[in-house]
């Protein structure tokens, strides 16, 4: 069995495509340590620098996690390691069983980049080229029965496969339209597929915020003497010394906040989850339908977030409030979205709003006049919110944390809520937005409707006031100043416009002769 450092260095193997190892020394040290190969004194010092002063693993690790800055050769090394694990390792497979070395990337485009690197390594070496049986769109079949597959991340595509190894590329930036934690879901699905083959899992990524699978592995295992899991961390310059110091300095000056993650491989302190899982879970009403029907006598509020008709969706949220004071709650009756023609979405949303007796629809500043004009043509008034998206989120945060918001168990909405990010600028101002590659169409509509519902003061019935009977104020049960017999009098007369015949509650306590009753008058009383 060929060792990984030899395979990477030999020009007849991976060295044909990788070139000189002088610029790959940090990668080489991390890989040698992961495979429990001996290190020189100089390599041991470098290992301690990237592994947090931990000891060397005593055997090949089960998981290797590399936290590296941008432009550090991550995807290229992922391709080289995938070929090594597929071709130069012994695999425990049953007769007729097909194994796969699977590389999972963040997007289709990123998967194509890694696939091209894999294909390029195999084409660069005549010896490796002879091992190729077939090249397909996303997979390369090898003579030893192993297939190298490069796909966008999905926990569904992993199930049912026998994996001899798996590599996660740019794990911190994985996104999925159906769930908030695709990295964790995929990781959970991959482990059983690696169990029977004793396959190795390798994660390679630039860090992002302090959340998700990559951060959890770094938090729990970096610097820890764990013989099963090795986590290394290094700057872009450490992993790729060919990078220009001048270029990095210029990029650091352009965005100092992001530079710590992009070039120094540090998890960002300025970005955190906007809503914690407990607040979101507390808001979910599992016993209700997805949408609540309109009810008579209820005041509803409508907010929309219009999309452009391509990748983002047009969404609408309808909300009402119940109760008063500290017992006041906010119920999201409808949170609906649709992709495609935005004009068709306008017509659908107007018809829906009318079912809830709403002729005024609020929204953000997107699209300006064409959005307002489209709603006017559909028979509704469109008003722009005075608050921008981030301000809507921040205004609704206290209501979520107090547990007074009720929403349906709606996966697209819940995913967006869990992935909202709160950023703190150097000035100290907080902003809220979706993460890289994410969306917040449903969440924006929800918080817009929540702001509208919370901005309307709860209506309270006016107190019953004392009537004027014959120009003299009288007091009766239910009025704030009633004291029974001998109630105080006033010499002030009602205004000339006072309507004595208005249907008010106090009339039931006044007899026809002006005397006051202690109980309401019945239909046969005088």
């Amino acid at each position: 069995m060929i060792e990984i450092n030899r395979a990477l260095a030999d020009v007849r193997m991976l060295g044909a495509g990788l070139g000189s190892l002088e610029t790959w020394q940090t990668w080489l040290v991390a890989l040698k340590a992961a495979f429990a190969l001996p290190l020189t004194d100089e390599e041991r010092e470098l290992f301690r620098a990237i592994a947090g002063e931990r000891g060397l693993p005593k055997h090949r690790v089960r998981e290797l996690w590399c936290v590296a800055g941008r432009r550090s050769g991550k995807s290229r090394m992922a391709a080289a390691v995938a070929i090594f694990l597929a071709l130069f390792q012994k695999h425990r497979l049953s007769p007729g069983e097909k194994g796969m070395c699977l590389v999972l990337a963040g997007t289709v485009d990123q998967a194509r980049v890694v696939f091209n690197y894999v294909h390029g390594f195999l084409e660069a070496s005549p010896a490796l080229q002879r091992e190729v049986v077939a090249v397909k769109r996303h997979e390369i079949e090898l003579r030893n029965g192993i297939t190298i597959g490069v796909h966008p991340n999905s926990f569904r595509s992993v199930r049912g496969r026998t994996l001899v190894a798996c590599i996660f590329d740019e794990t911190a930036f994985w996104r999925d339209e159906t769930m908030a934690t695709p990295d964790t879901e995929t990781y959970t699905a991959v482990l059983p597929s690696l169990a029977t083959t004793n396959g190795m899992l390798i994660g390679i990524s630039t860090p992002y915020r302090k959340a998700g699978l990559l951060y959890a592995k770094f938090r729990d295992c970096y610097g820890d003497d764990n013989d099963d899991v090795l986590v290394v961390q290094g700057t872009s310059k450490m992993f790729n010394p060919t990078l220009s110091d001048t270029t990095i300095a210029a990029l650091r000056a352009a965005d100092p906040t992001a530079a710590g993650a992009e070039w120094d491989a540090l998890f960002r302190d300025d970005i955190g989850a906007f809503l914690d899982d407990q607040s979101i879970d507390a808001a979910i009403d599992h016993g209700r339908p997805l949408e609540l029907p309109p009810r008579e006598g209820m005041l509803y509020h409508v907010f929309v977030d219009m999309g452009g008709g391509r990748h983002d969706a047009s969404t609408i949220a309808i909300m009402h409030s119940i109760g008063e004071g500290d017992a006041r709650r906010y119920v999201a009756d409808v949170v609906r979205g649709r992709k495609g023609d935005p004009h068709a979405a306008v017509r659908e949303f107007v018809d829906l709003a009318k079912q809830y007796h709403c002729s005024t629809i609020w929204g953000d500043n997107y699209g300006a006049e064409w959005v307002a004009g489209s709603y006017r043509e559909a028979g509704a008034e469109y008003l722009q919110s005075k608050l921008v998206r981030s301000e809507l989120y921040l205004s609704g945060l206290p209501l979520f944390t107090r547990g007074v918001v009720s929403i349906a168990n709606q996966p697209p909405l819940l995913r967006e809520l869990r992935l909202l990010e709160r950023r703190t600028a150097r000035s100290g101002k907080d902003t809220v937005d979706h993460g890289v590659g994410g969306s917040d169409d449903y969440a924006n509509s929800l918080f817009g409707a929540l702001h509208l519902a919370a901005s309307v003061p709860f209506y309270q019935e006016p107190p019953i006031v004392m009537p004027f009977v014959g120009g003299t104020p009288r007091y009766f049960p239910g009025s704030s100043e009633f004291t029974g017999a001998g109630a105080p009098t006033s010499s002030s007369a009602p205004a000339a416009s006072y309507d004595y015949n208005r249907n008010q509650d106090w009339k039931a306590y006044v007899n026809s002769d002006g005397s006051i009753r202690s109980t309401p008058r019945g239909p046969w009383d005088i």
Side-chain angles (χ1 to χ4, degrees):
M1 187 172 64
I2 298 176
E3 296 175 343
I4 190 168
N5 55 324
R6 180 185 168 192
L8 292 173
D10 196 328
V11 294
R12 295 170 299 177
M13 291 181 278
L14 294 169
L18 195 62
S20 173
L21 286 183
E22 290 184 4
T23 60
W24 296 93
Q25 285 302 305
T26 303
W27 285 108
L28 186 61
V29 168
L31 291 170
K32 288 177 67 176
F35 283 88
L37 299 177
L39 301 181
T40 66
D41 291 340
E42 184 179 352
E43 288 174 336
R44 286 174 177 268
E45 185 176 347
L46 179 55
F47 173 77
R48 287 192 293 270
I50 62 175
E53 299 293 337
R54 60 157 288 168
L56 287 167
K58 295 181 177 60
H59 55 76
R60 194 214 73 181
V61 298
R62 181 171 45 85
E63 298 180 16
L64 168 64
W65 295 88
C66 300
V67 183
R70 291 191 65 182
R71 312 307 302 170
S72 55
K74 298 185 297 296
S75 296
R76 197 173 172 196
M77 186 54 66
V81 173
I83 296 172
F84 173 78
L85 293 172
L87 278 176
F88 301 110
Q89 296 285 286
K90 292 182 179 180
H91 307 296
R92 300 185 304 185
L93 298 176
S94 302
E97 187 177 21
K98 297 293 184 180
M100 172 175 280
C101 179
L102 180 62
V103 182
L104 294 176
T107 65
V108 173
D109 292 338
Q110 290 173 340
R112 174 55 57 181
V113 169
V114 179
F115 181 85
N116 289 340
Y117 280 135
V118 172
H119 194 210
F121 275 115
L122 295 172
E123 289 289 318
S125 167
L128 297 182
Q129 191 174 1
R130 289 192 293 268
E131 299 296 323
V132 177
V133 174
V135 178
K136 300 180 180 179
R137 185 179 180 185
H138 301 292
E139 298 176 354
I140 298 178
E141 296 180 1
L142 305 175
R143 287 177 57 189
N144 64 355
I146 302 298
T147 297
I148 300 176
V150 186
H151 296 274
N153 79 89
S154 172
F155 74 94
R156 300 175 184 86
S157 64
V158 172
R159 298 182 182 277
R161 299 180 185 268
T162 299
L163 299 182
V164 299
C166 190
I167 299 175
F168 291 175
D169 184 50
E170 295 291 10
T171 324
F173 299 93
W174 285 6
R175 298 293 181 266
D176 190 287
E177 292 186 357
T178 60
M179 68 186 69
T181 56
D183 50 355
T184 303
E185 293 290 340
T186 304
Y187 175 76
T188 304
V190 160
L191 292 183
S193 299
L194 292 169
T196 57
T197 64
N198 193 30
M200 190 174 183
L201 173 63
I202 299 177
I204 303 175
S205 180
T206 298
Y208 190 48
R209 66 173 181 158
K210 293 182 176 180
L213 178 63
L214 183 69
Y215 177 69
K217 291 295 181 180
F218 176 82
R219 179 195 61 204
D220 298 338
C221 302
Y222 181 72
D224 182 52
D225 287 326
N226 187 332
D227 290 330
D228 288 326
V229 181
L230 171 62
V231 179
V232 297
Q233 179 193 40
T235 66
S236 300
K237 188 73 173 178
M238 289 181 67
F239 279 96
N240 183 7
T242 65
L243 290 172
S244 168
D245 291 329
T246 304
T247 301
I248 294 178
L251 294 170
R252 192 186 302 277
D255 192 350
T257 303
E262 298 284 289
W263 306 107
D264 299 333
L266 301 175
F267 289 89
R268 298 186 64 160
D269 290 319
D270 62 312
I271 300 177
F274 173 61
L275 290 171
D276 59 79
D277 289 339
Q278 291 79 5
S279 296
I280 297 174
D281 294 339
I284 301 173
D285 184 353
H286 293 277
R288 56 162 283 182
L290 192 62
E291 297 183 357
L292 300 177
R295 292 188 293 168
E296 292 297 328
M298 192 68 67
L299 178 63
Y300 292 98
H301 309 272
V302 183
F303 194 97
V304 297
D305 179 9
M306 299 305 300
R310 291 188 177 182
H311 303 294
D312 52 346
S314 296
T315 59
I316 181 174
I318 301 176
M319 180 169 283
H320 75 274
S321 64
I322 54 176
E324 57 181 301
D326 293 338
R328 190 176 184 184
R329 292 183 55 80
Y330 303 88
V331 180
D333 300 83
V334 176
V335 181
R336 181 188 299 183
R338 57 166 294 166
K339 293 185 177 181
D341 183 8
H343 297 282
V346 168
R347 294 190 293 270
E348 176 185 332
F349 292 168
V350 170
D351 291 341
L352 179 63
K354 288 181 178 179
Q355 297 177 30
Y356 291 81
H357 310 291
C358 295
S359 59
T360 300
I361 296 176
W362 290 78
D364 57 21
N365 197 30
Y366 173 78
E369 183 53 34
W370 85 260
V371 175
S374 296
Y375 275 97
R376 282 196 300 269
E377 292 177 3
E381 180 184 16
Y382 181 85
L383 299 178
Q384 292 183 5
S385 172
K386 295 181 180 180
L387 301 184
V388 299
R389 174 173 51 185
S390 181
E391 293 171 333
L392 290 173
Y393 286 134
L394 293 173
S395 70
L397 177 60
L399 301 179
F400 259 92
T401 55
R402 284 170 47 202
V404 296
V405 178
S406 175
I407 58 178
N409 186 11
Q410 190 171 0
L413 172 63
L414 300 180
R415 170 190 170 275
E416 290 186 353
L417 292 177
R418 296 188 196 280
L419 291 178
L420 285 174
E421 297 178 350
R422 185 171 187 166
R423 301 167 180 250
T424 303
R426 284 179 291 175
S427 62
K429 181 179 180 181
D430 285 349
T431 59
V432 181
D433 201 351
H434 59 74
V436 178
S439 62
D440 66 342
D441 307 315
Y442 291 84
N444 188 26
S445 291
L446 173 70
F447 273 82
L450 179 59
H451 172 72
L452 294 175
S455 299
V456 177
F458 186 81
Y459 177 75
Q460 294 181 331
E461 291 289 339
I464 301 175
V465 298
M466 63 181 181
F468 282 89
V469 182
T472 302
R474 306 296 296 272
Y475 298 84
F476 60 94
S479 69
S480 58
E481 300 181 25
F482 178 75
T483 59
T489 61
S490 173
S491 59
S492 58
S497 59
Y498 185 82
D499 184 2
Y500 291 92
N501 297 315
R502 286 186 299 178
N503 183 21
Q504 299 189 33
D505 294 338
W506 56 264
K507 285 189 174 183
Y509 293 89
V510 182
N511 293 319
S512 58
D513 60 357
S515 59
I516 303 300
R517 302 173 55 87
S518 59
T519 58
R521 184 174 49 175
W524 305 108
D525 293 328
I526 300 178

